[in-house]
């Protein structure tokens, strides 16, 4: 087990958790480099939305909230900093006004992380963000997707545009980045624009678990389904925070009642231990709608859950 | 199936949901008229309360929050605007200072809706509001009541007054507007003024499902009970938002912990599909205690659930 | 004096101000038509910003806050609804994702208002919004500008883009829409990107009153300066709410301390009585940063001030 | 100088200010009794309003905020607890639903205070509250009024009712409780329902200082005017918190921009030192619109200012 | 059954719940005396924390929120004021700056309550508070502990100090105040500083129910476990509000997602009916992080649950 | 002019201001080193307070808010990064529970900065913080103090302790760190514990400008007084944010109405250009009481003002 002192988070026994410059989970700030195993990244981009903006401040809020995360997982016992070099590599570059340039800049930044051999774990940004990430990570071979969301994000266009937070996973399939047979979407719900809102993914081969399905199957059978779908191939994790019920995620652009609890998502992410994971993101955290801070706290904790399984995967496989 | 272009909500593909004057679920603003099938109404009245006021701003907050509602139900597939003419008819008139005049004005407004042949679906206002509504709708024959609440609202007097938000359903029975045998109250809980707080309803023939009962029976058996109680006769739906647990409804006058989730209420309302429904309301949404907006979002979504089953009932029966 | 009953705001003696669907100052909702003298418009556009978004919800928040406005001006005695037909014409159409299409759609909408012979008074939206408005209003002849702001908005590019909330008035001059000699900017302040941030306007002929200038000259001399600059020609009023000190306008994208009070701006706008006014806007109201609601209340009251002087100008001139 | 240990506020050197049950300025809780010189009272009544309710929680919020008040005035040096027996006598009784009964109950409570020989200093409640207080205090002889407000509250009716927060001072004159020649209203502003909104008071003999007047005259001359108007006769002080500019008083029912600062009101109240003062109130503090707490802090401090001058008056005169 | 009129809470039928000085559940304010059966106490102490402070304002916020509690338990039917003399004895004295003096002062205050024969039910304060309470109550014989928390609070030191909110129950065992065999901790979760964070308690004989255990066992078996562990001996109840999931308790220093609902804790506390209970507390309510007030409402209701079982225990046993 | 690329803040033309890890004014994070001219420091310490805590989160909030600061001063034209090497050196170490250890740790950290030849500019932390800073900076010779505050902080003890936020400047004089003849306190106000609250400083030789003095003298004469008092000797600047009026600084422990505006303080700080400045701090920013964020925005801008004059002083003198 390596335990590189340059990649250890600030020690809470020495520096209280309220102190110091906020980085993700109090990890060190490092530039992308080959020594890095896991790169924690912010993607402050939210001009792909069609209702409420605000996710550009998501990375800042989650950095601040993630001060309370400690260093050992309470259930799995995974201690990510003992087995991987983890650092906060800062935010992906973006253009605040030009969507297409931003998408290119984000892709380029994640390509650099990928080239360095590190796995990215990021906080968006709106849910357009996985598209440039996957363009960087999955150019060579399509990946499976573990996807928590209340919306399928598989429309063809939104507001007559092709790249936005409602079309991401359709574009991903069309571009050969996503293996639809190894893709599972969980928590789908909410009123619909048309009866066919989620149909495209189903037709393409996605496994779509609506909230009704989730409730009917129960968590254990959903977890079995996740494993059946993603199998042992490379899998990317993406959580739209609006997949979580608004009691825990009011701070998001498009809240939908009747959703998953953080507990459900914690247990699902934990179940990914042992799988081949290639990265992950949490999107749509909009702090300006989060006066209690609960959305940022929830995202910080789910980022921790993802880090633990990602670190184990990386430590085992080296990729 | 009719699809009257004058009664279609604003199209989100053309006008983003954050744009335009806020009406309930972005429906058109129309005056009461015989073409209307379902009238969405605000009732900005809150001077019948004995703890915290604020529900007078409920209609405004729910109109704003309901921007995010789309047009097809994700589970039942009901598309209310395809089968009914639905419009926002504005707010019932009220007197801000004189309770009794307000009650009369509200009754008169709903009588006009009733006379026009439309079914009302309203956002209160405090929970005194169903009394004038029932006076307008149920003059001819008592109706059954599907009632979500943490309080039974069947006291004889509160603060030595007869008409207020704690006496509504007792007055309704006394006045012959409510059929107690066809009335079910779900979610009752909270500390009590006296051991007999909910006894009057039980004695009168109400089926009272406390939260303890709900938990013991489970949702499916409660739904069976609802159907058994309301039967096939005309039924009015009323939701005091404090029936919902405060995690989703902090913005209300008298929150009570340990309550129903929005999911539970969604499923119960959905189960009313096929029943003979004559209208509905959601009361006690007090935006000034709702800094996250979650209460308004919850109410907007439950209004949508009620609209779908109401539209189907109206489309089938014509009344 | 005309007093068209179709263009009167809702009467507070009959309908309490908290009741009814929120329109600007409780005016009637009308489509653009030749009968209209003044069109109140929302412009829910905020994808031209480089710091914090949120102004897309500005029109909704100001409609709600403007419920408290009454019908007679307390100082000038102007009663706008007695002398002009005023209505809320709803929001300009926008595309939520495509900046350039939005700009075109906004221009087209204001061109329609202009063609109908009405003067527009709008709530943005970020401060890119005056550009398409001026394209609609000032095609034929450049207009003078009365401009309250903490920033000059005369950069050449921001984030390597030409159309955004920091370049509006430079573009306006370049396109011949703005007469720089008849343009006055008041309240400029805040740290700067470079020593030349406001220089372009000064060189172009703008009168730039920094906050230092304002304090040194005093309000009366600034008002004299305003009149000297704008003269008797057609003048457009534009208020970036961040011109107001953050104690009254925390709900904005880029607050700058040490600014104008609402009182100062009230008195300056009132001084425009008698001038030739062709329209106005208030921009950058971002409700998601406005938990007390003071920014929306301030904007609603300043909109009222602008309405009064605009109505008088229109009533006198007919254009 | 008396310094009755039973009437001393909790000592901050012993008990930190955040500790203990919240009473007004940490005074002792006492029932009304002849030993009392000044009675601090809450009046949790807000059903006389026509826009936003919430002032019923005013007393609770001001009790909590007033923890930070100490015991010696920083400018006048007055130490009220050294010269008067001051206590928190709790809240006046009210009926939450019946306006007229509440008004009678409030009057009766203040009559008891008056009969005991104590001067009342109260926190409302809406601005209907001074009417029953004056009925209790001024039965025998009309009093002069020092009145800070943005509204004159001299309408004849509001919503077709006679007793409400917009008619108080007209009723007071009609009932012979107020001497109009010795009444001064300061801070009047805001848009108006009609050109005559404040005319009744002027005609009756009130001295009405609009904000325009205030600005034109300047503070010193306004203070001279106050003294000229109230003279040496018995005078009652009443502050509608909306007289204060919304930057310091967002937590109120009807905020009006462009108003007095707390500093202006502090200095005006301090100037009353030496006058014959018979009581005072601060009304319209609505905590549900006050997320920063600044309104309650402002009210607590102005209550302290009033207490100091009231104590000195009482100590000198004994009545 | 005694029903001492001096120890009855304010009657809501006479005085509306929003009225009056805020005491715990509107009980009377009394000094500690032998007549008292149960003393409601605030402990405004929060300088033992290592992340976010704010619990010093906990007692004030819970007093205010507890206005909505009535007088009869809705499930057990217990009416505590019929069987016990209950009063609010105010706040324990503390020194705001000196931790050790505060601990001594708190102990002394609770010793006085204990000596008077009353059982204490308190609102902290941070979770250091149970240590001085137990020093006062459990000097003679160790007590069992019913402990709801997300953290075990059994570290040896935190920040190199021995007395703080993370070491309380270890110190309690070491000092012989706590019987580890009769101690149960429920709800433990959250990331950990080291793999051994909760090990000390387990080794000492505590029964530690992590959230994983809770979910696996189910509520009924956990309740059976509680009874098995605490048996019939004297038992103290302590709830760290962060044991509750953040959806209901955002207002706390160290929120941890995936926790117990208030409903779960209500039912567990109710199950203690019939046990030998010697007191209780709720700690870590930090109102400055609780803009919706839900944390205070939750704490107020759980305090009520504890009061009911405590009153029954006291009434039966006399001690 | 040097313009070391390693000490330039993040370029807003390249990286939008909402992007990147939050450091003070987007400067680079560097360890203390001899290359540094000015060290920006956070001091997350707040256990020296006697009312409301929360300033431990001050540095984090100001780092976040200071994203909006640009790089050139709009009035003086000073461009600090052109003339000095400026960096964010992180937070001073503290012990979250032990006041005395924290004071020692803070002193040691600032001694290191001092030894490296850099001038410190810090964000507290409560107003105990200047004591350890002065112990580090002024060991050799006492410094003059430019002090903005509503409280003099010259008590002998508070809560029977000697080191806390109310005794700082008395201790500083007693320890020979402060030259009382060269010390000026501006903005003093608020009710007092005793008539002598500010007397000690006056007797010691401080120049105390109460708010009354400030208003009477006017800003220009106060500035003249500042210069007269501090002269040309080494001077330290300290701003307790509660010196600012609560409209701009609600987020603080002990707000006092009737205070200085940010504008007044901006101009006073700007006037220090040309003086011999040795460092500065802003204390008592408590984000948990700052829901609008205005306090943090105000502090960030005042920090910028201080940076500009400090940079010029350092560039000229080299010390």
């Amino acid at each position: 087990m390596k335990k590189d002192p340059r990649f250890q988070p600030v020690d809470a026994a020495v520096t209280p958790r309220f102190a110091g410059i906020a980085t993700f989970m109090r990890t060190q700030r490092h530039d992308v480099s080959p020594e890095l195993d896991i790169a924690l990244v912010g993607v402050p981009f939210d001009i792909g939305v069609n209702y409420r903006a605000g996710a550009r401040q998501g990375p800042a809020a989650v950095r601040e909230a993630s001060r309370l995360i400690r260093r050992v997982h309470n259930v799995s016992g995974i201690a990510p900093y003992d087995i991987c070099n983890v650092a906060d590599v800062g935010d992906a570059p973006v253009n605040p006004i030009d969507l297409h340039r931003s998408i290119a800049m984000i892709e380029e930044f994640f390509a650099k992380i990928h080239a360095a051999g590190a796995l990215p774990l990021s906080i968006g940004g709106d849910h357009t963000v996985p598209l440039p990430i996957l363009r960087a990570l999955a150019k060579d071979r399509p990946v499976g997707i573990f996807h928590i969301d209340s919306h399928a994000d598989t429309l063809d266009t939104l507001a007559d545009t092709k790249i936005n937070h409602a079309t991401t996973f359709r574009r991903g399939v069309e571009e050969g980045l996503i293996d639809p047979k190894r893709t599972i979407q969980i928590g789908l719900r909410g009123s619909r624009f048309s009866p066919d809102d989620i149909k495209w993914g189903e037709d393409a081969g996605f496994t779509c678990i609506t909230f009704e399905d989730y409730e009917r199957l129960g968590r254990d059978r959903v977890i079995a389904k996740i494993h059946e779908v993603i199998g042992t191939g490379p899998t990317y994790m993406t959580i739209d925070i609006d997949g979580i019920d608004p009691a825990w995620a009011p701070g998001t652009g498009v809240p939908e009642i009747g959703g998953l609890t953080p507990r459900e998502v914690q247990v699902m992410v934990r179940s990914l231990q042992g799988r081949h994971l290639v990265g992950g993101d949490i999107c749509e955290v909009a702090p300006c709608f989060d006066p209690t801070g609960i959305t940022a706290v929830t995202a910080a904790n789910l980022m921790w859950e993802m880090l633990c399984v990602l670190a184990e995967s990386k430590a085992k496989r080296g990729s």
Side-chain angles (χ1 to χ4, degrees), chain A:
Chain A
M1 290 287 170
K2 66 179 160 182
K3 207 170 170 171
D4 189 324
R6 291 167 311 153
F7 293 97
Q8 296 302 308
V10 177
D11 183 350
V14 174
T15 305
R17 288 178 290 169
F18 53 77
I21 292 174
T23 55
F24 288 123
M25 295 181 274
R26 313 213 319 148
T27 55
Q28 301 297 324
R29 170 74 179 84
H30 277 274
D31 286 335
V32 174
S33 84
E35 297 163 310
L36 209 55
D37 294 309
I38 295 178
L40 308 179
V41 199
V43 191
F45 168 94
D46 68 0
I47 54 177
V49 308
N50 77 328
Y51 190 38
R52 305 191 302 185
R56 70 184 65 182
Q57 279 105 11
V62 176
R63 280 196 179 92
E64 180 63 25
S66 68
R67 291 174 179 277
L68 52 61
I69 304 298
R70 302 176 195 83
R71 50 178 296 132
V72 180
H73 195 278
N74 58 319
V75 177
S76 68
I78 296 172
Y81 314 114
D82 289 357
I83 55 178
C84 280
N85 286 345
V86 182
D88 186 327
V89 299
D91 281 358
V94 296
N95 181 297
I97 290 164
D98 187 322
L99 184 147
H100 293 288
R101 268 194 274 183
S102 284
I103 295 297
M105 292 159 89
I106 297 168
E107 178 184 345
E108 186 180 5
F109 189 74
F110 280 83
K112 213 170 59 175
I113 293 170
H114 187 54
L119 303 183
L121 178 55
S122 64
I123 297 290
D126 71 50
H127 218 187
T128 315
V129 161
L131 183 63
I133 296 177
L134 291 172
R135 284 176 176 172
L137 302 191
K139 276 239 159 81
D140 309 327
R141 47 89 185 80
V143 296
I145 304 281
F146 166 76
H147 179 188
I148 301 290
D149 206 331
S150 63
H151 312 104
D153 298 352
T154 49
L155 298 185
D156 184 27
T157 61
L158 182 80
D160 199 26
T161 67
K162 288 287 222 174
I163 306 289
N164 57 59
H165 76 152
T167 61
T168 301
F169 298 96
R170 186 159 178 166
R171 288 298 93 78
V173 171
E174 292 169 353
E175 298 184 14
L177 310 169
I178 292 173
D179 178 352
K181 299 293 182 221
R182 295 187 49 248
T183 290
I184 184 163
Q185 300 187 310
I186 303 165
L188 306 181
R189 64 188 188 278
S191 59
R192 299 210 176 134
F193 291 124
S194 95
D196 297 336
D197 278 12
I198 73 167
K199 198 173 174 304
W200 189 89
E202 289 174 329
D203 290 349
F206 287 14
T207 301
C208 293
I209 308 286
T210 66
F211 194 83
E212 270 60 42
D213 296 330
Y214 186 91
E215 195 181 80
R216 198 184 62 248
L217 293 167
R219 192 171 72 203
D220 287 350
R221 279 197 286 166
V222 169
I223 287 174
K225 195 65 160 172
I226 294 168
H227 291 188
E228 184 191 320
V229 169
I230 66 169
T232 56
T235 301
Y236 183 79
M237 306 173 279
T238 184
I239 296 178
D240 183 323
I241 202 74
D242 73 22
I244 303 284
D245 188 279
W248 296 270
T252 194
V254 190
E256 304 283 358
I257 65 168
L260 298 163
T261 66
R263 171 70 184 166
E264 301 304 306
V265 180
Q266 281 178 308
V267 175
M268 284 189 276
V269 174
R270 288 172 193 172
S271 86
L272 300 178
Q273 193 179 344
R275 300 284 148 177
H276 182 183
L277 303 171
V278 299
D281 66 62
I282 302 175
C283 286
E284 301 283 359
V285 174
C288 60
F289 303 110
D290 193 32
T292 63
I294 194 173
T295 314
V297 164
T298 298
N301 276 280
L302 295 179
M303 188 188 202
W304 164 250
E305 296 289 346
M306 290 165 101
L307 173 61
C308 288
V309 292
L310 198 58
E312 215 222 24
S313 177
K314 174 72 179 172
K316 262 196 199 144
R317 277 175 194 76
S319 71

